[in-house]
Amino acid sequence: MEQIYIKDEYIRLGQALKLAGLVSSGVEAKIVINEGCVLLNGESVFERGKKCRNGDIIEYEGTKVMVNNAH
């Protein structure tokens, strides 16, 4: 499983997808989220601004990415 590291308490889902390299732009993130292609902790999410926190798992096209706090 891949990992991304954040310095704040949370990261918005669209930003997390970009940080993980799963999408190339915010527009692409919006499209795939609106189409229900992104899972957060195993559930479909339709909000680009959904807050992802330490330990959350994002899944897109079979790739899973865990959100971790950078220390």
Side-chain angles (χ1 to χ4, degrees), residues 13 32-48 50 57-60:
L13 182 57
V32 299
I33 292 167
N34 285 341
E35 291 177 349
C37 299
V38 179
L39 302 178
L40 179 62
N41 298 323
E43 296 184 18
S44 292
V45 178
F46 298 94
E47 300 171 57
R48 182 172 55 161
K50 181 78 174 171
I57 297 174
I58 300 163
E59 186 173 354
Y60 175 61

